[in-house]
Amino acid sequence: MSFNTLGLSDALLRAIDKKGYTTPSPIQKKAIPPILERKDVLASAQTGTGKTAGFTLPLLQILSQGQRLRKRPVRALVLTPTRELAAQIQDNVRAYSEFLDLRSMVIFGGVNAKPQIRGLRNGVDILVATPGRLLDLHSQKALSLATIEILVLDEADRMLDMGFQRDINKILNLLPVKRQNLLFSATFSKEIKKLANGILHHPLWVEAAPENTTAEKIDQKIYKVDQKRKSELIIKLISDGDWKQVLVFTRTKHGANRLSEKMVKSGITAAAIHGNKSQGARTKALGGFKKGTIRVLVATDIAARGLDIPLLPHVVNFELPNISEDYVHRIGRTGRAGASGEAISLVSHEEVSYIRGIEKLLGEKLPSEVVEGFEPVINSHNAEPSQKNTHHRKPKPKNNNKSFNRRSRR
Ligand code: AMP
């Protein structure tokens, strides 16, 4: 199937061709026609599925066909949780609208608002925004949302996780009642369903499993290891395996900094990316990682969300997320575009309950192993061995480490 059959205009087909896409991805095949028919759409799709083009292409087509006003009031609003994601969506919008007379703009926090206010004054057809900065600029009367025809909530689950529910509600109150709504989410919790029910009218549900559904292309593995020895183990895995591009997840910003520093000390180029880093530092780290000058990107969930990192061979969970859905998001970064990938989780004794939650969500048991020399020896918080001795310890007898033993018999 080619893009020609989806009902897109020549100008869009030219832009798609220029991007080098030949076949629409499953989410594009399913979402583009109903969006063009002006239906509300609820889409289950995560990053890596081509979802951005899935909503951007039809949105551009609708706007290019509609009536154009000289002042260019904002007609489409794409809300997304993070700055990086907003910037990426804007890159897509700009590329796909190259041959159309439509103006787009991105606004997000953490950078000077003045150029954004100036840009808005010139008139924009499509606005890509993070919720906080949007409300901020609205309260400064830099923009009106009263003319929105299409609303896209991208990564809606993450927006709720990040505490944007109230901001979303405020934004919804500023929009005209009559509008088309598109909601994209990787996971569907009760809260997301509630949000969707409040926003969408008789939505069409489209679902696209990522081309790399966990069961097929991502090789998932657990390495059981004591918390204190995780840095040592990950450095060994990266060095021994000669991994060139690894995305590592930590639970905290501090943890990300610490681990990245340790890697650098061991001669592995690494950078940390998290909410306390400036926008410039984040962009630089991501750029270096994509180019290959940075081998390891250590990230927190929020910072990594939505990053467009193609073909990632290795994802490591240095620590497991306490929200099981985040595990799915994290490992969705590997094995993209049909390539196979490896997702490794370093699991300490304290994290066993998280693994249970993750396995329940996945509906499968994950294989676990122990790396020789890294056998877990802790079975209570006050029995931590010194780093020195750990190498020489034998694993504890089975009944001292019940959770892991149960797992290792799988
Ligand atoms: P997304 O899920 O929107 O973040 O897209 C993931 C990646 O797939 C991006 O690098 C897109 O440029 C790329 N992409 C989107 N649609 C297609 C397509 N039909 N064919 C090939 N690549 C695509």
Side-chain angles (χ1 to χ4, degrees):
M1 186 188 185
S2 82
F3 277 99
N4 296 338
T5 55
L6 292 176
L8 295 168
S9 67
D10 285 347
L12 286 168
L13 292 176
R14 253 176 91 194
I16 293 166
D17 193 45
K18 199 167 165 192
K19 271 283 218 179
Y21 308 159
T22 50
T23 323
S25 71
I27 192 73
Q28 291 163 2
K29 273 182 225 162
K30 290 184 191 169
I32 292 174
I35 298 176
L36 286 176
E37 284 171 30
R38 308 304 312 265
K39 292 206 168 82
D40 276 10
V41 167
L42 178 60
S44 160
Q46 64 187 68
T47 303
T49 54
K51 69 181 166 74
T52 316
F55 63 77
T56 305
L57 292 168
L59 179 150
L60 291 172
Q61 169 123 339
I62 292 165
L63 296 188
S64 66
Q65 287 167 343
Q67 210 192 359
R68 200 84 35 83
L69 296 170
R70 205 172 50 82
K71 277 187 126 180
R72 289 189 191 256
V74 187
R75 295 169 60 203
L77 173 65
V78 182
L79 275 183
T80 190
T82 67
R83 305 161 192 184
E84 284 83 4
L85 199 49
Q88 272 166 216
I89 295 172
Q90 168 63 2
D91 287 347
N92 278 265
V93 172
R94 201 179 294 127
Y96 302 137
S97 60
E98 185 179 344
F99 306 108
L100 296 169
D101 176 24
L102 290 171
R103 253 189 242 156
S104 57
M105 204 186 136
V106 61
I107 57 173
F108 48 71
V111 293
N112 189 350
K114 284 203 180 107
Q116 299 178 351
I117 295 173
R118 270 199 302 275
L120 287 166
R121 244 185 246 136
N122 293 335
V124 208
D125 301 288
I126 305 128
L127 186 61
V128 182
T130 52
R133 181 54 64 96
L134 181 74
L135 283 171
D136 185 10
L137 295 189
H138 186 270
S139 70
Q140 294 185 44
K141 306 220 180 320
L143 68 119
S144 162
L145 297 174
T147 48
I148 298 291
E149 294 163 37
I150 308 174
L151 168 71
V152 183
L153 286 184
D154 185 39
E155 309 246 347
D157 48 351
R158 177 53 49 151
M159 282 207 264
L160 295 191
D161 288 350
M162 286 174 69
F164 284 135
Q165 174 83 64
R166 281 187 61 191
D167 282 354
I168 293 174
N169 290 344
K170 280 190 206 161
I171 293 166
L172 290 173
N173 282 331
L174 301 171
L175 303 177
V177 179
K178 194 171 168 295
R179 54 172 203 264
Q180 185 178 12
N181 301 287
L182 315 173
L183 189 149
F184 285 73
S185 187
T187 54
F188 280 87
S189 61
K190 259 195 276 163
E191 288 76 22
I192 282 289
K193 284 182 190 145
K194 206 170 133 202
L195 178 75
N197 282 339
I199 295 177
L200 303 158
H201 302 286
H202 306 296
L204 189 92
W205 172 296
V206 297
E207 199 175 3
E211 287 175 19
N212 50 15
T213 37
T214 65
E216 291 160 28
K217 301 225 177 79
I218 302 174
D219 184 15
Q220 299 173 73
K221 208 184 280 173
I222 291 169
Y223 285 131
K224 299 176 294 184
V225 59
D226 290 330
Q227 185 65 33
K228 287 205 153 187
R229 301 205 55 210
K230 283 186 176 182
S231 329
E232 209 185 322
L233 176 57
I234 192 170
I235 288 169
K236 178 183 161 60
L237 292 172
I238 292 171
S239 306
D240 289 2
D242 197 22
W243 296 351
K244 299 281 189 259
Q245 200 183 33
V246 196
L247 180 62
V248 179
F249 285 95
T250 59
R251 287 182 62 182
T252 65
K253 299 169 192 173
H254 261 327
N257 283 339
R258 265 199 312 269
L259 183 59
S260 140
E261 282 158 18
K262 277 187 193 164
M263 298 223 175
V264 171
K265 275 196 193 129
S266 324
I268 297 171
T269 50
I273 180 166
H274 53 67
N276 284 1
K277 294 267 176 183
S278 71
Q279 185 57 33
R282 289 204 236 178
T283 310
K284 194 169 156 226
L286 182 61
F289 186 60
K290 282 187 179 180
K291 277 203 308 257
T293 52
I294 289 172
R295 235 168 122 183
V296 183
L297 193 65
V298 189
T300 54
D301 287 288
I302 287 175
R305 178 72 171 191
L307 294 183
D308 181 17
I309 305 163
L311 289 176
L312 205 49
H314 303 282
V315 169
V316 180
N317 293 308
F318 185 77
E319 283 138 347
L320 285 176
N322 50 359
I323 301 165
S324 301
E325 279 84 359
D326 281 348
Y327 176 88
V328 178
H329 287 302
R330 287 179 177 191
I331 68 164
R333 316 272 157 180
T334 181
R336 285 176 147 199
S340 63
E342 187 176 44
I344 286 177
S345 301
L346 306 187
V347 180
S348 73
H349 179 71
E350 297 84 353
E351 294 170 299
V352 169
S353 62
Y354 297 153
I355 273 292
R356 299 225 172 91
I358 289 164
E359 288 178 332
K360 213 169 140 199
L361 180 74
L362 294 174
E364 64 176 308
K365 296 265 185 204
L366 299 176
S368 66
E369 283 178 25
V370 169
V371 176
E372 208 185 323
F374 288 85
E375 294 83 357
V377 291
I378 298 170
N379 59 14
S380 77
H381 291 289
N382 54 13
E384 295 186 1
S386 73
Q387 291 277 356
K388 256 190 197 158
N389 292 339
T390 315
H391 278 300
H392 310 293
R393 291 228 179 163
K394 292 264 186 294
K396 286 270 176 188
K398 276 181 182 166
N399 53 0
N400 277 345
N401 204 347
K402 278 181 187 151
S403 333
F404 275 149
N405 284 324
R406 252 204 306 279
R407 236 145 261 289
S408 58
R409 278 205 295 272
R410 264 190 236 133

